[in-house]
Amino acid sequence: MSWKVTLPCTRAEAEALQVEDIALADLDPLPVLMTSERVPDDAEQWQLDAYFEEAPGAATIDALKSLVPSSTDAQPVIEEIVEEDWVTISQEGLEPVHAGRFYVHTESNKGDVPEGAHPIRIEASRAFGTGTHETTSGCLIALDALKRRGARFDNLLDLGTGTGLLAFAALHLWPRAHATASDIDPASIEVTRENAGINGVAIGGGAGELALAVASGMQHPLLTQSAPYDLIIANILAGPLVELAPSVADALAEGGTLLVAGLLDRHVDMVARAYRAQGLRLAQRIPRGDWPTLRFVKRTRYGPARTRRLSRGSGEAPGFGSW
């Protein structure tokens, strides 16, 4: 049994939502937050649905309202949901995603895999990255395009991996590469490990295997020892992308490729400036609604003192912090 609270909000509020917001810090477990349009193409007519394991009290409702200030005077809609959990609810209405050569699906919506497509099963879970969002599908399209142009990568990093989807896709395209997936959230690494088992991806430090690390940005021995990377994928947010620009650029090999997503159109110039300052050029912009994917290439005249790979280790590494 669970509970659902619905509040009106704006698109801007929806995009800014963070379940780790201090307003919800005293709630255990944290609610699951989902947003959607109430009126198509109306930025002022969105809604927030919050799912709780127990009936929310007045203080909880007030904390939820503080996340979407436009709902201050609104009457919340509170529903009891019997014999359903948030994973089931979040999957209702989800359609499989066909992006590039990849076909991302859940156990229940697989249907017929398109001819020539590579299926990846990713269930809705505690981590971001089921393929349905433009940021994730944009990265899948970018990876597919790189392969079609004949790109080859031997050492890659999925920074902020979420569910592991993009790392799995990259390993499918370059199956002999060394691959690392990291995330600041330990739950994401647990989910990635589970999804790796479902999709037949080996966990470890060898060629064709995926090494995992709970890491704050690039600050982890496994990430620094495995550098330089010839491909880095970072589907995170505009703020961390800018903050991490020096360390990400330093970990990228000369001539290497960086794919970034998680930013809105209005953030492109800011993110591009941050990476240009580190010797990367913007080679491609892939539009996906309001959420573009950017491809950067590191200029070969930069980075004479590059990090050298020391050891792949066991493929597992503890420790985490904040961006």
Side-chain angles (χ1 to χ4, degrees), residues 3-309:
W3 295 79
K4 173 184 172 182
V5 178
T6 301
L7 288 168
C9 68
T10 66
R11 175 177 173 172
E13 291 170 338
E15 291 173 350
L17 277 175
Q18 295 288 338
V19 72
E20 297 87 357
D21 193 284
I22 192 170
L24 305 181
D26 293 333
L27 302 184
D28 186 19
L30 289 170
V32 174
L33 306 182
M34 299 181 66
T35 58
S36 59
E37 291 178 304
R38 288 192 296 160
V39 178
D41 301 320
D42 187 339
E44 300 302 312
Q45 299 291 321
W46 281 55
Q47 74 179 41
L48 165 65
D49 295 315
Y51 296 91
F52 297 87
E53 292 185 5
E54 298 179 353
T60 297
I61 300 297
D62 288 342
L64 198 62
K65 282 188 172 185
S66 72
L67 300 182
V68 285
S70 65
S71 71
T72 300
D73 298 325
Q75 184 65 32
V77 177
I78 303 175
E79 304 173 66
E80 183 179 3
I81 303 173
V82 180
E83 296 181 354
E84 292 182 306
D85 60 33
W86 73 267
V87 172
T88 301
I89 295 164
S90 67
Q91 289 184 352
E92 289 179 354
L94 280 183
E95 295 292 333
V97 173
H98 192 187
R101 72 187 68 193
F102 299 104
Y103 184 76
V104 187
H105 63 89
T106 66
E107 183 178 22
S108 60
N109 74 3
K110 183 176 182 179
D112 296 324
V113 178
E115 184 177 355
H118 175 68
I120 302 178
R121 178 180 152 192
I122 302 290
E123 304 294 337
S125 67
R126 296 165 289 169
F128 175 81
T130 58
T132 58
H133 197 277
E134 290 93 337
T135 58
T136 311
S137 60
C139 287
L140 291 173
I141 291 170
L143 289 169
D144 180 66
L146 284 166
K147 180 66 174 182
R148 292 183 188 279
R149 285 197 293 269
R152 174 181 170 178
F153 300 111
D154 298 313
N155 189 30
L156 61 93
L157 169 65
D158 182 10
L159 180 67
T161 192
T163 61
L165 170 58
L166 297 177
F168 303 159
L171 270 176
H172 171 72
L173 297 173
W174 299 283
R176 297 304 300 163
H178 287 84
T180 304
S182 69
D183 202 285
I184 193 172
D185 185 358
S188 289
I189 296 303
E190 293 174 10
V191 168
T192 296
R193 188 182 299 109
E194 294 166 4
N195 287 335
I198 292 171
N199 290 281
V201 176
I203 299 297
E209 297 178 334
L210 182 63
L212 301 177
V214 179
S216 169
M218 295 297 302
Q219 300 302 310
H220 194 286
L222 179 64
L223 303 191
T224 56
Q225 291 171 10
S226 298
Y229 303 96
D230 46 17
L231 173 64
I232 297 178
I233 309 160
N235 181 13
I236 44 179
L237 293 169
L241 283 172
V242 170
E243 182 181 347
L244 292 172
S247 57
V248 168
D250 187 56
L252 187 64
E254 291 183 358
T257 296
L258 170 67
L259 295 180
V260 304
L263 63 153
L264 288 160
D265 282 326
R266 64 175 181 267
H267 298 140
V268 168
D269 290 344
M270 175 181 69
V271 172
R273 282 196 302 271
Y275 285 89
R276 275 199 300 269
Q278 302 302 321
L280 279 69
R281 65 177 179 86
L282 179 58
Q284 186 181 16
R285 174 174 174 168
I286 300 171
R288 296 291 290 172
D290 295 328
W291 302 86
T293 297
L294 307 181
R295 176 170 65 89
F296 292 91
V297 176
K298 186 171 181 178
R299 301 181 190 275
T300 56
R301 61 191 178 88
Y302 281 78
R306 293 174 293 176
T307 306
R308 299 294 179 183
R309 187 189 313 167

